[in-house]
């Protein structure tokens, strides 16, 4: 027998992979779930569950839920017979269930726990008859919009010509002011950035990646709704 698992919304989401919604909807229709398919001879399922909803300060409905998707994988195990010969002992199929929490601002954007959980965006697309597509962030644009008010405590770069083509820099102060690495980071293509800045009268320390993931480290009590507003106001203007 299965019992539903739920969570505290206050502690739920200060990090995640972000998607933009292309289309309008005012409800998430889960009536077609679970759905079933066959993979390697095994039945696999996908499911979407909607939980609590809140209204943010803009009047938008913020819905919390869980998404799950199963995958069947063939696994070969090896053995050694009494003559010392090595060979395939058994081939079996394992079914793994991937689960993620999600937050969705109806008709606007959605957030899942990590960039490995984007299957939830596909399920949300089906449940809303829209396209829910993971974004990428223009890190240079984000930095330019918040420099010099923000302090940048970490930066990652890539695709650089020269002896060092990629790397990361960390510091307590602003890494762009460092004599050794500051200019290298500023002039390079950046794939992630760590920022400290004021948001809604709080000092926020966070990290944002080019691949569409963001995580707030401080303050520790940052709520799901605060994170949602930060995504909307600070990050999405620099999404593509």
């Amino acid at each position: 027998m299965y019992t539903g698992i739920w969570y505290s919304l206050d502690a739920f989401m200060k990090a995640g992979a972000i998607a933009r919604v292309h289309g309008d909807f005012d409800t998430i229709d889960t009536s077609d779930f679970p759905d079933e398919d066959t993979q390697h001879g095994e039945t696999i399922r996908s499911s979407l569950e909607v939980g609590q909803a809140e209204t943010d300060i803009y009047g938008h409905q913020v819905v919390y839920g869980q998404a799950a998707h199963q995958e069947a994988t063939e696994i070969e195990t090896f053995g050694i017979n009494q003559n010392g010969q090595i060979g395939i002992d058994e081939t079996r199929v394992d079914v793994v269930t991937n689960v993620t929490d999600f937050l969705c601002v109806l008709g606007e954007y959605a957030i899942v726990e990590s960039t490995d959980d984007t299957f939830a965006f596909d399920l949300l697309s089906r449940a809303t008859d829209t396209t829910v597509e993971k974004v990428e962030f223009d890190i240079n644009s984000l930095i330019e919009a918040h420099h010099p008010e923000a302090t940048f405590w970490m930066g990652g770069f890539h695709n650089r010509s020269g002896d060092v083509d990629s790397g990361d820099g960390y510091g307590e102060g602003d890494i762009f002011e460092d004599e050794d690495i500051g200019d290298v980071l500023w002039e390079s293509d950046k794939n992630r950035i760590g920022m400290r800045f004021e948001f809604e009268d709080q000092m926020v320390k966070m990290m944002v990646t080019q691949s569409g993931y963001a995580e707030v480290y401080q303050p520790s009590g940052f709520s799901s709704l605060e994170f949602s507003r930060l995504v909307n106001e600070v990050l999405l203007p620099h999404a593509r």
Side-chain angles (χ1 to χ4, degrees), residues 80-239:
I80 305 172
N81 68 17
Q82 60 186 5
N83 297 320
Q85 294 175 313
I86 303 169
I88 296 173
D89 184 53
E90 177 188 28
T91 300
R92 71 176 192 272
V93 176
D94 282 358
V95 176
V96 176
T97 303
N98 304 299
V99 180
T100 183
D101 297 324
F102 70 83
L103 176 158
C104 183
V105 178
L106 299 188
E108 300 290 336
Y109 54 93
I111 309 170
V112 296
E113 292 183 71
S114 81
T115 53
D116 293 329
D117 297 325
T118 55
F119 66 86
F121 297 148
D122 295 331
L123 301 184
L124 284 168
S125 295
R126 289 159 53 188
T128 59
D129 196 25
T130 63
T131 300
V132 182
E133 183 178 21
K134 187 176 78 68
V135 303
E136 290 189 349
F137 291 117
D138 184 334
I139 299 298
N140 287 336
S141 172
L142 179 63
I143 292 169
E144 290 169 4
H146 294 276
H147 185 275
E149 290 79 10
T151 300
F152 300 94
W153 58 270
M154 182 272 287
F157 65 93
H158 64 153
N159 297 334
R160 182 176 178 270
S161 61
D163 293 334
V164 180
D165 61 4
S166 63
D168 297 301
Y170 296 84
E172 287 302 314
D174 195 316
I175 54 172
F176 293 123
E177 297 179 3
D178 183 86
E179 293 181 358
D180 296 319
I181 199 172
D183 288 343
V184 171
L185 279 168
W186 186 261
E187 295 168 2
S188 300
D189 291 338
K190 288 166 278 294
N191 53 12
R192 59 179 182 156
I193 194 71
M195 306 167 57
R196 287 190 190 92
F197 60 98
E198 188 171 311
F199 178 75
E200 296 185 351
D201 299 322
Q202 301 180 85
M203 186 55 63
V204 172
K205 180 181 180 181
M206 73 175 304
M207 183 266 295
V208 185
T209 73
Q210 183 184 42
S211 63
Y213 178 82
E215 182 168 0
V216 170
Y217 301 115
Q218 295 172 358
S220 58
F222 211 62
S223 71
S224 297
L225 281 180
E226 287 173 318
F227 182 61
S228 175
R229 292 197 297 272
L230 184 149
V231 167
N232 183 51
E233 296 179 22
V234 177
L235 301 183
L236 283 178
H238 308 282

